[in-house]
Amino acid sequence: MPHTTAHQGQLAPERTGEPCVLLKLGEIVLKGRNRRQFERILHQNIRAAARETGVPVDLCLRAGVIMARVADGTLRGEAGRAEAAARLAERMRDVPGIVRVCQPLRVARTAQAVVDAAVALTADKDGTFAVRPRRRDKRFPLTSAELAVLVGREIQNAHGLGVDLRHPDTEVFIEVDTEEVFVFTGGLPGQGGLPVGMSGRAVALMSGGIDSPVAAYRMMRRGLRCSFVHFSGIPLTGPESIFKAYALVRGLDRFQGRSRLFVVPFGKAQQALASSGADRLQIMAQRRLMLKTGAALANRLGGSALITGDSLGQVSSQTLANITALDDAVTLPILRPLIGWDKSEIMAEGRRIGTLAISELPDQDCCTLLTPRRVETRARIDDLRRIEGRLDVADLAEELAMSAQEYRQ
Ligand code: ATP
Ligand code: MG
């Protein structure tokens, strides 16, 4: 990646430095090939996300950080560049693989330039401050301690702020790099995790409920690119659950981009299972058919796992015995990131990522159709296979996958 190491040109002519975006990378324990892959995929994802903002960027890799500069010549003036950098920074907070997003001024490697930027950045601050210098490049003429003393004294002189190294109101970070120095206050958390795509692809089973979007998000964050499948009770139910699934996928799309949702009309297949005597096993037989259909889709899309929002014991289909019977339905691994989560924890996460409000809209889930009076909590695999045998369920799953209607974001 020559563009990551090449010299990045002149500093922009702003008085106190060039507003840019500094992205701190997670999982820095990664070594060698994994690390290069991490960086390569993250670069692609950052570029794709940046494109949506309309801000042209130059990306440069430094040790453990990526610097995103607003490309030269496209925006004039300090205000335009600062506004573009802020827009870019906000968008980067949703890109998995980035742990922290900062908005520094990028200045020349001189003590005076650092002082000017630090004084400018603290002009509107009150209370106390601390200077936190760090040298990624040790060839800088001042030590970290010398920098802290120098910059601290100048900020005090300029604004009369007090120093408090333990609990300051404002931290002034100075990061000395090979080509430049970054000076900033604050910074915001990113998503952390791994870049989407680094772990391959999977198909997420997406109801209109609370759990499945959170489950998909957690796996995206571990580097899986997700396609989504939703089973609608149509024509036996209304289309509301489809609208919800679509809205949920749309909400999650900002974490990965280019999301695909497949909607499977499932009502008739549910009736067929009921007619073949599923009875107390109706829910379990439906869930197995969903998984088999998901596996058929995964096969078509190059996915190597399924994702569900199962949480141990939360509902009757999620007892250990029933989970075992669900695993038996497909050869693909079924990833259940929420298996050990309480409902309150899942809801808090759904609120944080913005899916909860959509999940809570009313709809009629296909699972509420044809629900038996008593639900089996210890389904026997043999019984389920017998019901499926009467229906030629492998073909049915293929047909359902073929009948899926695709919605792209
Ligand atoms: P959720 O809140 O995700 O709907 P839930 O607590 O309601 O979960 P179930 O209804 O048993 O639990 O569903 C368990 C999992 O099965 C869901 O998390 C989802 O992955 C999958 N699933 C259930 N119904 C559907 C559906 N209609 N379409 C797609 N996947 C579904
Ligand atoms: Mg549900």
Side-chain angles (χ1 to χ4, degrees), residues 258-281:
R258 305 198 316 275
S259 302
R260 302 169 75 178
L261 167 66
F262 296 85
V263 175
V264 175
F266 201 50
K268 294 219 172 92
Q270 291 179 268
Q271 278 176 323
L273 287 171
S275 314
S276 67
D279 197 38
R280 288 181 64 181
L281 290 172

Side-chain angles (χ1 to χ4, degrees), residues 205-207 209-212 229-231 287 290 307-310 314-315 317-318 343 365-367:
L205 275 70
M206 185 79 148
S207 68
I210 291 170
D211 307 333
S212 38
V229 58
H230 173 70
F231 297 87
R287 293 287 314 280
M290 286 183 188
I307 301 167
T308 72
D310 289 317
Q314 195 196 83
V315 295
S317 59
Q318 294 166 358
K343 195 72 183 185
D365 187 75
C366 70
C367 292

Side-chain angles (χ1 to χ4, degrees), residues 51-325:
R51 223 171 287 129
E52 287 171 30
T53 67
V55 177
V57 289
D58 284 333
L59 297 182
C60 323
L61 192 64
R62 299 285 188 261
V65 298
I66 291 175
M67 167 179 59
R69 294 178 65 197
V70 178
D72 276 337
T74 49
L75 289 150
R76 278 179 226 301
E78 208 158 343
R81 195 181 284 270
E83 189 274 329
R87 198 148 28 105
L88 199 58
E90 191 51 38
R91 185 67 189 82
M92 291 303 126
R93 295 190 62 198
D94 288 335
V95 177
I98 297 169
V99 286
R100 203 164 171 78
V101 179
C102 308
Q103 284 187 69
L105 291 172
R106 175 176 184 254
V107 304
R109 283 167 47 101
T110 68
Q112 190 57 50
V114 173
V115 164
D116 289 348
V119 167
L121 284 173
T122 45
D124 60 349
K125 307 289 189 217
D126 299 315
T128 58
F129 75 100
V131 181
R132 311 279 193 221
R134 194 175 146 203
R135 297 187 308 166
R136 276 195 284 275
D137 179 7
K138 306 286 185 212
R139 293 169 307 173
F140 193 70
L142 299 184
T143 65
S144 292
E146 287 166 344
L147 253 182
V149 169
L150 172 69
V151 173
R153 194 177 56 220
E154 295 291 333
I155 290 175
Q156 270 182 312
N157 288 345
H159 310 308
L161 301 177
V163 173
D164 180 347
L165 295 182
R166 285 252 178 99
H167 305 289
D169 296 310
T170 303
E171 287 182 296
V172 179
F173 298 97
I174 299 171
E175 297 189 358
V176 178
D177 228 309
T178 48
E179 315 264 335
E180 68 270 284
V181 182
F182 299 107
V183 187
F184 56 100
T185 60
L188 291 165
Q191 298 298 320
L194 298 174
V196 169
M198 197 178 163
S199 306
R201 292 167 182 270
V203 169
L205 275 70
M206 185 79 148
S207 68
I210 291 170
D211 307 333
S212 38
V214 175
Y217 164 76
R218 298 299 302 190
M219 295 321 300
M220 282 181 195
R221 236 173 126 254
R222 293 311 299 167
L224 273 180
R225 169 161 283 286
C226 293
S227 295
F228 300 88
V229 58
H230 173 70
F231 297 87
S232 153
I234 246 170
L236 308 181
T237 61
E240 291 79 9
S241 76
I242 302 176
F243 303 154
K244 283 176 71 178
Y246 183 81
L248 288 168
V249 171
R250 204 189 167 91
L252 291 175
D253 187 62
R254 67 183 197 278
F255 300 113
Q256 65 168 11
R258 305 198 316 275
S259 302
R260 302 169 75 178
L261 167 66
F262 296 85
V263 175
V264 175
F266 201 50
K268 294 219 172 92
Q270 291 179 268
Q271 278 176 323
L273 287 171
S275 314
S276 67
D279 197 38
R280 288 181 64 181
L281 290 172
Q282 177 72 24
I283 302 245
M284 286 295 292
Q286 284 172 191
R287 293 287 314 280
R288 279 172 62 104
L289 185 52
M290 286 183 188
L291 292 166
K292 285 174 191 285
T293 307
L297 270 172
N299 189 27
R300 199 164 98 198
L301 301 171
S304 34
L306 300 176
I307 301 167
T308 72
D310 289 317
S311 158
L312 187 63
Q314 195 196 83
V315 295
S316 64
S317 59
Q318 294 166 358
T319 62
L320 209 44
N322 282 354
I323 284 176
T324 308

